[in-house]
Amino acid sequence: MTFRGTITGADDPRPHAVTITIDAGSLRAVRDDGGEASIALDAMTLEPGGFDGDFVFCRPRDARFTIATSDPAFVDALGAANVAELAPQLAKVGRHRASSRRGAHLSKLGALAMIALFGVALWNVPSMLAASVGMLPTSIDRAVGDAATPELGALDEIDDPAASALVEEIRARLVAHAGADGHDIRITIARDEQVNAFALPGGRVVVLTGLLCTARSSDEVAGVLAHEIAHVTRRHGLRNLAHRAGIGLAISLWLGDVEGWTALAADAATLASQSGYSRAQESEADADAVRTMIAAGLDPAALAAFFATMERPDDAAALRWMSTHPDTAERIAQVQALARAERPTRVPLEHDLAALQRTLCAAAP
C-alpha cells in the first residue's frame, strides 16, 4: 500500500511531494522530483497534527527531516506493522484525533449561549465557517498567504526577463477579467522541474519552470494561471482551512480571530503545493478559467489541451502531475464543452513561449 504526503528537511523546509511505503520494518518516502528518505519503524517518532488531527508527522530521532501525510489509512497501516515501539505513539495519535473531533469543551468559549442559538448545528461550525468565508474581509486571505509564504521554504526564484514578461502579460490580461478585486495577484517563477503552479490565499501564485517548459503554447500557460487565480478569487484555500479547523478554533475564527487564521499557515502552504482541492473546487476553477480566458481574448480550449498533454502515460512528469490532479479526462470534457459554447474574439499574446523555452528550458536541470 502506498500513501501520498510531503517531506521537509531541516536544511530545506519547503514541502516536497512524496510517495510513502511501509515495508521491511521501515518507512520509505520517495520524492516525486527524485531522492528518497527512510526511517526504521522502531526508531521513529510520531506526532499528530492539524486541528482535526488528520495529519501525522513522522521523524527520525535526530529530526533531520519530517514526513507528513493526511491519508486516513496511514495510521492503520502503521498499526498493522505491529512494532512495539510505535504502540504508545499510535495510541497518542488516536487520542488526539478523538479529542479534536469532539471539539473543545464549549464552556471554555462561552458557548452556552451559542448552544441555545444553534443547537445541533454547532457541530457543523467548521462547515458553516467555510460556507461563510465570502463574508470575511479579503485582508484575512492576504494575512494567511503572507504567513504561509515562509512555510514554502526557499524557492529558487529565477530572474529571467523573457519569462517575467510573459507571465506579467498573462497576469494583466487575466486579472482584468477574473473578478480579483480585493486580491493582490502576484506571480513568482521558481526553478523546479515539477509541472505545476499553485496559489496561496490572498493572491500569490507560484509558477514552476517545469510548467513553462512543458506547455505547448502561451495560452496553455494562461489557462493554468487562470485556473489558479480562480482558486484565489473563489477563496478555496481559506474554505479548506476552515474545514480543517476544529470546532473550538472555528468558533474563534468566526468571531474574527485573524491570528487564528495565520496559525494555519503551514496547512495553507501544504494544501496549495499539493493541490489539495476537492473535485467540486477544481471544477469551479476550471469553469472560471474558461470564462476568464474568453473575456481576455485567449483560447479557452488551451486549458483542455494542457490537460490532454498531461495525460501522456509514458511521461514521468505527467504521471506526477496526474497523481495530484485526478479526474483529468472528466475535466478535459468539461472544459471542451464550455469552450465550444463560446466563440471568443481572439487577441493573441505578444510574448512567445517557444522563444522563451529555447533559453529557459535548455538551462533547466
Side-chain angles (χ1 to χ4, degrees):
M1 183 179 295
T2 62
F3 311 92
R4 294 294 293 172
T6 60
I7 188 169
T8 56
D11 57 348
D12 182 12
R14 179 184 173 188
H16 294 273
V18 294
T19 297
I20 303 167
T21 56
I22 301 171
D23 185 42
S26 67
L27 181 75
R28 182 168 174 257
V30 179
R31 281 175 47 164
D32 289 356
D33 57 358
E36 64 179 77
S38 63
I39 316 172
L41 295 181
D42 60 3
M44 184 168 70
T45 63
L46 298 178
E47 287 292 337
F51 289 96
D52 280 335
D54 51 350
F55 271 91
V56 179
F57 299 94
C58 309
R59 301 180 180 91
R61 286 173 179 165
D62 59 8
R64 66 185 184 279
F65 60 83
T66 300
I67 299 169
T69 181
S70 59
D71 191 313
F74 178 71
V75 171
D76 291 339
L78 282 180
N82 198 28
V83 176
E85 289 82 358
L86 287 180
Q89 299 183 74
L90 289 170
K92 176 183 176 182
V93 170
R95 289 193 299 271
H96 177 83
R97 287 183 167 182
S99 176
S100 297
R101 289 164 185 168
R102 284 194 301 269
H105 193 276
L106 297 179
S107 62
K108 294 181 180 179
L109 296 172
L112 292 177
M114 292 184 182
I115 293 175
L117 181 61
F118 296 114
V120 175
L122 180 64
W123 296 100
N124 293 320
V125 164
S127 297
M128 293 164 66
L129 174 64
S132 64
V133 157
M135 296 185 291
L136 299 174
T138 55
S139 58
I140 291 179
D141 301 64
R142 292 193 296 273
V144 172
D146 290 345
T149 296
E151 299 291 340
L152 295 174
L155 296 171
D156 185 11
E157 297 185 27
I158 68 169
D159 183 14
D160 184 296
S164 297
L166 172 63
V167 298
E168 174 53 30
E169 181 187 7
I170 292 172
R171 187 202 68 80
R173 289 274 290 272
L174 296 176
V175 167
H177 303 281
D181 295 346
H183 300 282
D184 181 17
I185 306 297
R186 298 149 289 155
I187 299 181
T188 298
I189 306 172
R191 190 174 297 283
D192 193 306
E193 66 178 6
Q194 295 183 70
V195 182
N196 203 9
F198 56 88
L200 292 172
R204 186 179 187 190
V205 180
V206 178
V207 178
L208 303 183
T209 52
L211 169 64
L212 297 176
C213 294
T214 300
R216 295 180 297 178
S217 71
S218 297
D219 279 16
E220 285 192 8
V221 176
V224 175
L225 294 186
H227 175 94
E228 295 303 325
I229 290 172
H231 282 313
V232 174
T233 59
R234 289 272 184 174
R235 307 177 80 176
H236 287 157
L238 214 61
R239 295 180 196 279
N240 289 345
L241 291 179
H243 273 298
R244 287 174 173 267
I247 294 172
L249 179 65
I251 293 173
S252 179
L253 298 179
W254 209 353
L255 295 176
D257 180 9
V258 177
E259 290 184 1
W261 282 109
T262 58
L264 299 173
D267 279 358
T270 299
L271 286 169
S273 60
Q274 291 189 4
S275 301
Y277 301 108
S278 69
R279 180 181 297 187
Q281 289 172 335
E282 294 286 23
S283 181
E284 285 180 344
D286 288 344
D288 283 0
V290 170
R291 287 189 285 268
T292 300
M293 294 277 283
I294 291 170
L298 301 172
D299 180 9
L303 181 58
F306 175 78
F307 290 161
T309 297
M310 299 312 295
E311 275 207 313
R312 296 174 302 197
D314 58 344
D315 189 304
L319 291 174
R320 287 196 298 269
W321 189 87
M322 289 180 67
S323 70
T324 54
H325 296 75
D327 310 310
T328 305
E330 182 179 316
R331 294 173 66 185
I332 290 172
Q334 175 191 351
V335 171
Q336 288 175 334
L338 291 170
R340 283 194 299 268
E342 299 285 345
R343 291 290 182 267
T345 301
R346 293 291 308 284
V347 183
L349 291 160
E350 295 180 5
H351 292 87
D352 181 22
L353 178 66
L356 165 65
Q357 289 174 332
R358 286 193 290 271
T359 56
L360 176 68
C361 305

